[in-house]
Amino acid sequence: MIGADAIRGHIDLILLAILETQPSYAYEISKTITGRSRGEYVIKQTTLYTAVKRLQSQGLLDSYEDASPSGKPRTYYRLTPDGLDQLGVKREEWRSTRALVDHFTEGKDAS
Amino acid sequence: MIGADAIRGHIDLILLAILETQPSYAYEISKTITGRSRGEYVIKQTTLYTAVKRLQSQGLLDSYEDASPSGKPRTYYRLTPDGLDQLGVKREEWRSTRALVDHFTEGKDAS
DNA sequence: TTGTCGTACTACGCCTGCCGTAGTACGGTA
DNA sequence: TACCGTACTACGGCAGGCGTAGTACGACAA
């Protein structure tokens, strides 16, 4: 089970990466995260919606409506060109962060 | 340059890992971090002192005074046995988090 | 036609952690 | 005795993730 603090700051990256493959809607994104993490991380509804709105307000995602087989129509989210750019940037940031933490935790010098 | 949000949640791990090798005092810890990250991450004084106090209040560190060649005597911090245990736990957490984020960013399945 | 269930969201406010901006305290040096 | 570097502390801000709750809408069953 992975705690929220550990993930904090990486949620945007995860969402962008998931949406890179194909557009998706909130509920499905949530399932994707749970599934691909094998239940190690389950994103909270509020966290997810907040993050998606934040990304949308930054112009990294846009959305469109589509029918749902049951209940309310869904809001699908997909990457904008800016979102794709940012995904690249955030991937790089992640690699730097990962390298940095690894240096300390594994007791190696910076490389 | 690595942002605070990316590091957030990993500071405790970094501090514990640094102190695993040998006791140190705040100013030196700060230099160590800057140096070993090659300037990519510079921890703020407030962040550092806050983190150290937090860890101490959790019983993961203890401290002792020692003379400084100039100015006030220093407070050295060192790992407690609990701190060493927690370092292990946090290392594991880090590995999980790293694996999780990697799965998404690199587009691989969970493993 | 009414009630229940699953899906799709929103509102509100808490807590924690990192940071900015101060300010305090102490000893060496000139 | 005045200054300067080192070693800290105080206080408040902000953002992100979360808990708890509630709303809304459609399908399906009785």
Side-chain angles (χ1 to χ4, degrees):
Chain A
M1 198 60 179
I2 292 183
D5 283 346
I7 291 295
R8 185 170 177 148
H10 306 307
I11 297 244
D12 289 2
L13 169 57
I14 291 174
L15 294 183
L16 293 175
I18 288 173
L19 294 175
E20 184 187 23
T21 311
Q22 57 186 353
S24 185
Y25 53 96
Y27 196 72
E28 190 182 53
I29 293 171
S30 169
K31 298 283 187 200
T32 301
I33 292 175
T34 303
R36 292 189 52 188
S37 72
R38 293 184 166 179
E40 272 199 290
Y41 180 61
V42 179
I43 195 169
K44 301 297 179 285
Q45 262 198 328
T46 43
T47 302
L48 178 54
Y49 282 107
T50 302
V52 160
K53 290 203 154 196
R54 182 173 58 239
L55 292 172
Q56 194 169 14
S57 78
Q58 291 170 353
L60 307 185
L61 301 181
D62 65 0
S63 61
Y64 58 94
E65 299 284 305
D66 202 355
S68 166
S70 69
K72 290 181 77 172
R74 292 166 179 151
T75 304
Y76 280 79
Y77 298 95
R78 83 190 138 199
L79 281 192
T80 62
D82 277 3
L84 192 56
D85 285 352
Q86 269 303 302
L87 176 55
V89 171
K90 285 178 185 295
R91 262 205 249 262
E92 268 315 303
E93 278 181 6
W94 162 244
R95 291 194 186 109
S96 297
T97 302
R98 187 182 58 189
L100 177 60
V101 177
D102 276 345
H103 294 322
F104 289 109
T105 62
E106 311 301 338
K108 291 167 194 157
D109 287 340
S111 67
Chain B
M1 199 60 178
I2 291 183
D5 283 345
I7 291 295
R8 183 171 178 150
H10 306 307
I11 297 245
D12 289 3
L13 170 56
I14 290 173
L15 294 184
L16 292 175
I18 287 174
L19 294 175
E20 185 188 21
T21 312
Q22 57 186 355
S24 185
Y25 53 97
Y27 196 71
E28 190 183 54
I29 294 171
S30 170
K31 298 283 186 198
T32 301
I33 293 175
T34 304
R36 291 189 51 186
S37 71
R38 292 184 166 180
E40 271 197 290
Y41 179 61
V42 179
I43 195 169
K44 299 299 178 283
Q45 261 198 328
T46 43
T47 302
L48 178 54
Y49 282 107
T50 303
V52 161
K53 289 202 154 195
R54 183 172 59 238
L55 292 172
Q56 194 170 13
S57 79
Q58 292 168 354
L60 308 185
L61 300 182
D62 65 0
S63 60
Y64 58 93
E65 299 283 305
D66 202 356
S68 168
S70 68
K72 291 180 77 173
R74 293 165 178 151
T75 304
Y76 280 80
Y77 298 95
R78 82 190 136 198
L79 281 190
T80 63
D82 277 4
L84 192 56
D85 286 352
Q86 269 303 303
L87 175 56
V89 170
K90 286 178 185 294
R91 263 205 249 263
E92 268 316 302
E93 278 181 8
W94 161 244
R95 291 194 186 107
S96 297
T97 302
R98 188 182 58 191
L100 178 60
V101 177
D102 276 345
H103 294 322
F104 289 109
T105 61
E106 313 300 338
K108 291 169 193 156
D109 287 339
S111 68

